[in-house]
Amino acid sequence: MAERSTAAVDVADNSGDNPLTAKADGATTDGVAESIDTADTAEQGVGDTGGERKPAEPSIATPELHSGHKLARRYRLEECVTRLDGFSSWRAVDEKLRRAVGVHLLPADHPRARSVLAAARSSALLGDPRFVQVLDAVEENDLVYVVHEWLPDATELTALLASGPLEAHDAYQLVTQVSQAMAAAHREGLAHLRLTPGAVLRTSSGQYRIRGLAVNAALRGITSDTPQRTDTEAIGALLYASLTQRWPYDSDAYGLHGLPKGVGLIAPDQVRAGVHRGLSELTMRALANDGATASRQEPACTTPDELVKAVSAMPRIRPPEPAFTAPPEYQRTTYQQGTYGRPPAGPHPAVTQVVPAPPPALQGRTGKAIKWAVSALLIAALGLGSWQLADSLLGHDKGSGESGTSQQPNKSDGDKPKAPKPLRIQGAEEYAPDGKPQNAKDVGNTYDGNTSTYWRSKSYVDGPKLAPFKQGVGIVYDLGSEKDVSAASIALRYGGNHTTLALYAADSMSPSTPIASMKQIATTTTSGTSADLKAKKPVKTRYVVLWLTAAPYAATDEFSDPGYKQAITDVKFTG
């Protein structure tokens, strides 16, 4: 069961119900849901991004449901996230596919029930992975409900901005991805009309996703005569907030302070020092719809398509270079600090060592007798050795003549190469040096002997190399005690071009050194669904890190989106 995350479900938050050009509603903050029986903003005349609300409607009681209630004998309601204006939003579980989902519920006789169904079905037909997907839209038993994805690993832009403004590269990625997604939606005739910081999510892979396309506006009855202009201005407001950590109007909203009253709309680089000049000018061009003057007389962007072209015309903003710490100063060892083989340093007078004289040569008859004795012993030893060698050769030839085959000397058991034997895995944990694990709970599936179970990585938008999103993902295995590791056999779920794996010797289940500092045992690259890694020389270690740095492209399955990803079904070590 995924943990609760307001970033994961397209909750019907009621923060900032006033237009971008007006005061934000103070009922809730930061898009965090509160239980509200009726909407005190139902009669406001304007939507939150310039869209207009329909005329006030009579208050409608929210359906009285409880945790544990099932819809279509499939979706089990777990927790009510929001209760607002006659509809409610829930965190639920799809018991058929065993995954978390989000559900919007409203009575079938609600004045906006038909428009909500139409918006949900239109959004589901778009099928763009940059949006949180609508999975089902049904009218049943006097209820209308919309089922959509739940992204437990995603974070709201509201939460990201709570800790400070984004870096220039992150803000550039935000406006690029969101404007391209909204341009694609408008080409299909779909608008958002409620594109707030709570509607934009960033996944662990760095991809931005938009929730509530068409549905959020339909739930609140928000419409607009100029939907492209409304969404473009909303993207400009998101970029402004990302660069300055301020809301671009004179009212506080979404947990952000507004601009000082009476100042008007000023450029982001005048609000905060160090703001990227190009992004600041782009922000003003998107917000020119509200009467602001675009910088340098550039034309205003009134549609997402125009904003996409303006972003493309900018020089690409690259991510900041990683900071490397300087290595410690070289220290001489004790041996190097000694005086072996070097004269003593300093002003002390050099001391000449006295070399002992060699002993004098033997003289007289005694010395000659010893010389002859030694010579005789050497001659006798040489003769004995020659006789033994000849006897050995003659015996070898004789044996060959009798049997007709060449006899080889027997090798001792110690000289025979040892047959590889399997090494039993005692335990395993996911290795995530950046603190962002992939799927830690399923690590045991890689050595349970069942090839139908597996551990999987997340799906990445670029590849096959996981960098720069990830330097790599992996698992550290415990062999119980130090063993000679010489090879590994890895069974994979996805084939294709290409998968790169490596084995490293680690010092513990939670290695204290980075992967670059570990001793590499073996590495390989494969395009199939299996990989064999063989070491040139066995490495003695107790802990082995299996490190994945490249993954093939795979289509959507029941657990993950299409992208560059890999799953490990079985791991075996030999030594």
Side-chain angles (χ1 to χ4, degrees):
M1 181 68 63
E3 297 180 358
R4 178 186 177 185
S5 169
T6 56
V9 60
D10 183 11
V11 297
D13 64 275
N14 63 326
S15 59
D17 272 341
N18 282 348
L20 294 179
T21 55
K23 293 183 179 180
D25 182 18
T28 62
T29 60
D30 297 357
V32 178
E34 294 181 1
S35 295
I36 301 177
D37 292 330
T38 59
D40 56 2
T41 59
E43 297 183 0
Q44 292 181 359
V46 188
D48 57 325
T49 55
E52 296 183 354
R53 281 187 181 271
K54 295 178 181 178
E57 299 158 349
S59 178
I60 298 176
T62 306
E64 289 296 334
L65 300 176
H66 55 82
S67 299
H69 182 88
K70 287 187 181 180
L71 301 172
R73 298 182 180 180
R74 175 176 178 176
Y75 304 111
R76 186 180 74 247
L77 303 182
E78 291 289 319
E79 180 182 11
C80 183
V81 179
T82 298
R83 196 180 298 273
L84 171 69
D85 204 13
F87 67 89
S88 59
S89 297
W90 292 76
R91 176 172 61 85
V93 174
D94 182 350
E95 294 186 334
K96 183 177 181 179
L97 297 180
R98 298 183 180 180
R99 62 179 178 181
V101 294
V103 179
H104 294 311
L105 278 167
L106 67 165
D109 58 353
H110 194 288
R112 297 194 288 270
R114 300 300 168 197
S115 61
V116 169
L117 275 176
R121 288 166 180 171
S122 298
S123 178
L125 291 175
L126 181 61
D128 192 319
R130 292 171 292 191
F131 295 92
V132 173
Q133 298 295 297
V134 172
L135 305 175
D136 211 350
V138 181
E139 180 179 356
E140 181 184 64
N141 298 332
D142 298 328
L143 281 177
V144 168
Y145 58 90
V146 177
V147 183
H148 50 83
E149 282 185 295
W150 178 285
L151 305 177
D153 65 336
T155 306
E156 282 186 10
L157 181 60
T158 307
L160 295 174
L161 295 179
S163 59
L166 301 184
E167 295 288 342
H169 173 72
D170 293 332
Y172 174 76
Q173 290 295 323
L174 167 71
V175 69
T176 300
Q177 296 182 33
V178 173
S179 61
Q180 289 176 353
M182 289 310 304
H186 278 283
R187 283 194 291 270
E188 298 298 327
L190 292 173
H192 197 291
L193 304 183
R194 190 175 167 78
L195 198 55
T196 66
V200 178
L201 312 174
R202 188 172 72 181
T203 66
S204 59
S205 64
Q207 181 185 13
Y208 288 93
R209 299 186 66 179
I210 302 170
R211 64 185 180 186
L213 178 66
V215 176
N216 273 7
L219 285 168
R220 291 164 176 77
I222 298 173
T223 60
S224 174
D225 294 332
T226 55
Q228 295 202 55
R229 181 173 175 176
T230 299
D231 284 342
T232 304
E233 184 180 357
I235 298 172
L238 294 176
L239 181 56
Y240 195 104
S242 300
L243 295 173
T244 64
Q245 202 185 11
R246 300 288 291 265
W247 195 236
Y249 303 102
D250 59 1
S251 58
D252 298 345
Y254 312 108
L256 302 171
H257 293 294
L259 299 177
K261 296 184 182 299
V263 174
L265 184 59
I266 55 179
D269 56 1
Q270 297 177 6
V271 175
R272 189 176 72 87
V275 172
H276 189 277
R277 180 68 182 275
L279 291 176
S280 178
E281 293 175 354
L282 184 68
T283 305
M284 297 303 288
R285 293 178 64 183
L287 288 174
N289 306 328
D290 193 48
T293 302
S295 301
R296 298 195 305 176
Q297 304 302 316
E298 294 282 355
C301 298
T302 58
T303 67
D305 265 323
E306 292 178 359
L307 190 55
V308 169
K309 293 177 182 177
V311 174
S312 301
M314 290 179 55
R316 183 178 179 183
I317 301 176
R318 299 189 177 276
E321 293 293 334
F324 295 99
T325 56
E329 186 179 353
Y330 177 73
Q331 298 290 335
R332 291 182 179 274
T333 63
T334 305
Y335 169 77
Q336 292 167 327
Q337 290 174 352
T339 59
Y340 178 78
R342 297 198 305 267
H348 304 287
V351 178
T352 303
Q353 296 182 355
V354 179
V355 179
L362 296 175
Q363 301 294 334
R365 294 180 178 179
T366 304
K368 290 181 180 180
I370 292 176
K371 287 181 181 179
W372 282 107
V374 172
S375 299
L377 288 174
L378 289 174
I379 293 171
L382 288 172
L384 180 62
S386 300
W387 176 79
Q388 289 180 339
L389 178 60
D391 183 66
S392 176
L393 292 173
L394 290 173
H396 176 72
D397 293 340
K398 181 179 179 181
S400 300
E402 291 177 355
S403 62
T405 59
S406 176
Q407 296 180 354
Q408 298 292 335
N410 294 327
K411 291 185 177 180
S412 64
D413 293 340
D415 295 334
K416 294 181 180 179
K418 295 181 179 178
K421 62 178 181 179
L423 304 178
R424 186 177 179 183
I425 299 174
Q426 303 292 336
E429 291 183 6
E430 186 164 326
Y431 177 58
D434 59 356
K436 298 178 180 178
Q438 303 286 295
N439 195 13
K441 62 184 179 64
D442 289 338
V443 167
N445 294 339
T446 62
Y447 63 98
D448 60 358
N450 185 357
T451 57
S452 63
T453 60
Y454 52 86
W455 167 91
R456 61 184 175 85
S457 72
K458 298 186 183 303
S459 180
Y460 295 91
V461 297
D462 198 6
K465 289 187 178 180
L466 302 184
F469 300 117
K470 282 273 191 181
Q471 295 304 312
V473 296
I475 303 172
V476 56
Y477 292 93
D478 182 8
L479 303 180
S481 62
E482 286 195 343
K483 305 286 178 61
D484 285 330
V485 180
S486 60
S489 175
I490 315 297
L492 307 171
R493 180 175 173 84
Y494 306 113
N497 187 27
H498 58 267
T499 301
T500 299
L501 296 164
L503 299 180
Y504 291 89
D507 55 5
S508 67
M509 290 291 281
S510 299
S512 58
T513 58
I515 198 76
S517 301
M518 298 181 190
K519 181 178 180 59
Q520 187 180 89
I521 301 174
T523 183
T524 189
T525 297
T526 180
S527 297
T529 56
S530 65
D532 293 322
L533 297 93
K534 295 183 179 179
K536 293 181 178 179
K537 184 179 180 182
V539 176
K540 197 175 190 65
T541 182
R542 174 178 176 178
Y543 303 99
V544 182
V545 175
L546 177 59
W547 190 240
L548 172 71
T549 56
Y553 184 87
T556 304
D557 54 30
E558 66 271 24
F559 294 107
S560 60
D561 295 331
Y564 293 90
K565 57 187 176 181
Q566 188 55 274
I568 298 173
T569 63
D570 192 49
V571 174
K572 293 180 180 178
F573 296 108
T574 55

